Amino acid sequence: MSQADTVTRILDSAEQLFAEKGFAETSLRMITTRAKVNLAAVNYHFGSKKDLIQAVFARFLTPFCNKLDKEMATMAAGNPNPKLDDVLGVLAKTMLTGVTSSGQSNKLSVFMRLLGLAYTQAQGHLRRFLRDHYNGTYARFITYLRDAHPELSPKEIFWRIHFAIGACVFTMSSIEVLREMSIADTREDTGIDEVMNQLIPFLAAALER
Amino acid sequence: MSQADTVTRILDSAEQLFAEKGFAETSLRMITTRAKVNLAAVNYHFGSKKDLIQAVFARFLTPFCNKLDKEMATMAAGNPNPKLDDVLGVLAKTMLTGVTSSGQSNKLSVFMRLLGLAYTQAQGHLRRFLRDHYNGTYARFITYLRDAHPELSPKEIFWRIHFAIGACVFTMSSIEVLREMSIADTREDTGIDEVMNQLIPFLAAALER
DNA sequence: CATTGTTTTAAACGATCGTTTAAAACGAGA
DNA sequence: TCTCGTTTTAAACGATCGTTTAAAACAATG
């Protein structure tokens, strides 16, 4: 087994388990067992558990942010005054097509779940890491939103977009639980596409109003 | 120190720490140290850490659900065809006035944070506990929503209300982080009342549309 | 005051955690 | 084939976890 294999398998297992259980509830022994590598491999290749957490985020956030930056620039080049729909459309498209780190299915919910953990479970070091590495893309995105709605104050833009992020992150984070509850409630299942098809107009209505 | 004191102090500390750090990241030693009681007091009075978690939820959910049930019944008695605004208004009022378990300030964000943990960090036992004890109130509330919007399918009701719950839970769960980010973004702070004043019309627009 | 049931206390239990160590296994270049 | 840097392995480290124990302290009752 080559080094790249070992590193990748650790990242895959860690990503999956972190999204499923959170950081504290996931032990290095769970990760290395699932990855079929030796326990010491994490500390050898990454240094510490904290560094592994950052590596998991870096692996999917770096290409995602690069892609988002590029797509945003492309949109702005062909459209001097992008509206909210345009900006959010680029974001949605990037999320749907650009999140493919470990190649497993259902990647979007993992992405969302990790994003949620970053907000609610970040232990300081992760928050600092994300700010230091991805604040640029975030700031540029917010700027597009402001330009699309110059009549709204920066505050209003900030909170509306985070309300929307909240609805997305929460829904996709708890998608399994929610689908179970939905079945118990309504006696019929709801596919993820169907959830997305309801979520998008929900958010559009809330953001535009 | 009487028994009631000890039990209450443990519940207060646990509630605070769970909301702040989550279940796994909060040790019994943190809880008992903050509560200024002996370590063994948790196992003596509650049995186990899982039982303590359930007790924390029970302490604020039981009076909350009782109050919500009563307020809903009162509303329905005086209003044969409550609209969405009425139903959500009762919910909001109950949340703002009825969440006062440990008497500390900023209780609403603790309530929301714990609610979020119940969805995203529930380890099975908690999910079962909540379903067994509070599913009645939940079902009744959903019924009011359905009656208020008979033209919507049960599925649509279910998902819209959970998108809304997501925006609330996420926002209030990460309120400290978000306020920091907002200050960095906009160079001005946002009070919690102000956040609520933006959140409510946001949700209203999304639910009604 | 003595007794009895309840609560608190200090100490220890075994289990599991993240991390470290040192030797073994491996692989490419001389 | 031998060498040397890299990677993997098994074992152990100290720390911390939830839980248990048995004795001490307490409070109420006779």
Side-chain angles (χ1 to χ4, degrees):
Chain A
M1 186 186 303
S2 73
Q3 171 188 353
D5 267 348
T6 299
V7 169
T8 302
R9 294 160 70 100
I10 291 173
L11 286 173
D12 288 348
S13 304
E15 181 181 81
Q16 204 170 327
L17 286 164
F18 286 155
E20 188 181 326
K21 302 173 171 300
F23 303 128
E25 295 90 340
T26 302
S27 70
L28 296 185
R29 284 167 177 83
M30 292 182 201
I31 294 170
T32 53
T33 299
R34 176 175 299 205
K36 295 198 178 80
V37 301
N38 188 272
L39 166 63
V42 168
N43 290 284
Y44 176 75
H45 287 288
F46 296 93
S48 70
K49 186 180 182 180
K50 287 184 178 181
D51 291 319
L52 172 61
I53 293 174
Q54 296 180 7
V56 166
F57 276 84
R59 185 174 63 150
F60 75 91
L61 269 185
T62 296
F64 173 79
C65 285
N66 288 341
K67 186 156 187 170
L68 183 62
D69 277 331
K70 194 192 298 179
E71 300 275 352
M72 285 290 172
T74 303
M75 175 201 68
N79 183 352
N81 278 93
K83 273 298 294 171
L84 182 67
D85 276 352
D86 304 315
V87 179
L88 295 182
V90 170
L91 175 66
K93 193 186 118 194
T94 307
M95 285 182 46
L96 288 172
T97 66
V99 184
T100 53
S101 63
S102 73
Q104 68 171 355
S105 68
N106 207 3
K107 213 71 196 55
L108 188 56
S109 68
V110 173
F111 177 93
M112 287 293 188
R113 177 82 168 117
L114 292 177
L115 209 60
L117 292 180
Y119 276 96
T120 59
Q121 276 203 11
Q123 306 107 320
H125 76 94
L126 179 58
R127 204 124 65 205
R128 247 174 284 119
F129 172 80
L130 296 175
R131 168 169 41 77
D132 292 346
H133 289 78
Y134 305 103
N135 223 15
T137 299
Y138 167 76
R140 281 186 289 277
F141 179 77
I142 288 276
T143 301
Y144 281 112
L145 286 181
R146 285 188 190 153
D147 292 345
H149 271 274
E151 81 282 6
L152 291 178
S153 71
K155 263 195 191 186
E156 282 173 312
I157 292 280
F158 174 88
W159 286 104
R160 285 196 195 180
I161 195 64
H162 276 96
F163 297 154
I165 291 176
C168 290
V169 163
F170 173 87
T171 302
M172 301 307 288
S173 287
S174 341
I175 186 69
E176 292 89 1
V177 186
L178 290 177
R179 285 179 69 182
E180 277 177 33
M181 288 178 61
S182 168
I183 292 174
D185 265 24
T186 67
R187 301 275 152 220
E188 42 179 351
D189 196 4
T190 316
I192 291 197
D193 324 4
E194 203 177 337
V195 176
M196 294 287 290
N197 283 340
Q198 294 202 36
L199 179 56
I200 287 169
F202 176 94
L203 295 178
L207 287 169
E208 294 279 8
R209 59 172 135 111
Chain B
M1 186 187 302
S2 74
Q3 172 189 353
D5 267 349
T6 300
V7 168
T8 301
R9 294 160 70 103
I10 290 173
L11 286 173
D12 288 347
S13 303
E15 181 180 83
Q16 202 171 327
L17 286 165
F18 287 154
E20 187 182 328
K21 302 172 172 297
F23 304 129
E25 296 90 338
T26 301
S27 70
L28 296 185
R29 284 167 177 85
M30 291 182 201
I31 294 169
T32 54
T33 299
R34 177 175 298 204
K36 296 200 178 80
V37 302
N38 187 271
L39 167 63
V42 169
N43 290 285
Y44 177 76
H45 288 287
F46 296 92
S48 68
K49 187 179 181 180
K50 287 183 179 182
D51 291 320
L52 172 61
I53 293 175
Q54 296 180 8
V56 166
F57 276 84
R59 184 174 63 152
F60 77 91
L61 269 185
T62 296
F64 172 79
C65 285
N66 288 341
K67 186 156 187 172
L68 182 63
D69 277 331
K70 193 189 301 179
E71 300 274 354
M72 285 290 172
T74 302
M75 176 203 67
N79 183 353
N81 280 92
K83 274 298 293 171
L84 183 66
D85 275 353
D86 303 316
V87 178
L88 295 181
V90 170
L91 176 65
K93 192 186 120 194
T94 307
M95 284 182 47
L96 288 171
T97 64
V99 184
T100 52
S101 65
S102 75
Q104 67 172 354
S105 70
N106 208 5
K107 214 68 196 52
L108 188 56
S109 67
V110 172
F111 177 93
M112 289 291 188
R113 177 82 166 117
L114 292 177
L115 209 61
L117 292 180
Y119 276 97
T120 60
Q121 277 204 9
Q123 306 108 320
H125 75 94
L126 179 58
R127 204 126 63 205
R128 246 174 286 121
F129 173 81
L130 296 175
R131 168 169 43 76
D132 293 346
H133 289 79
Y134 305 105
N135 223 14
T137 298
Y138 166 77
R140 280 186 288 278
F141 178 76
I142 288 277
T143 301
Y144 281 112
L145 286 181
R146 285 188 190 153
D147 293 344
H149 272 274
E151 80 283 4
L152 292 179
S153 71
K155 263 195 191 186
E156 283 173 311
I157 292 280
F158 174 88
W159 287 104
R160 283 196 197 179
I161 195 65
H162 276 96
F163 297 154
I165 290 176
C168 290
V169 163
F170 173 87
T171 302
M172 300 307 288
S173 286
S174 343
I175 185 70
E176 293 88 2
V177 186
L178 290 177
R179 285 178 69 183
E180 278 177 32
M181 288 178 60
S182 166
I183 292 173
D185 265 22
T186 66
R187 302 274 153 223
E188 43 178 351
D189 196 4
T190 316
I192 291 195
D193 323 5
E194 203 177 337
V195 176
M196 295 286 290
N197 283 341
Q198 295 202 35
L199 179 56
I200 287 169
F202 176 95
L203 295 177
L207 288 169
E208 294 278 10
R209 59 172 133 111

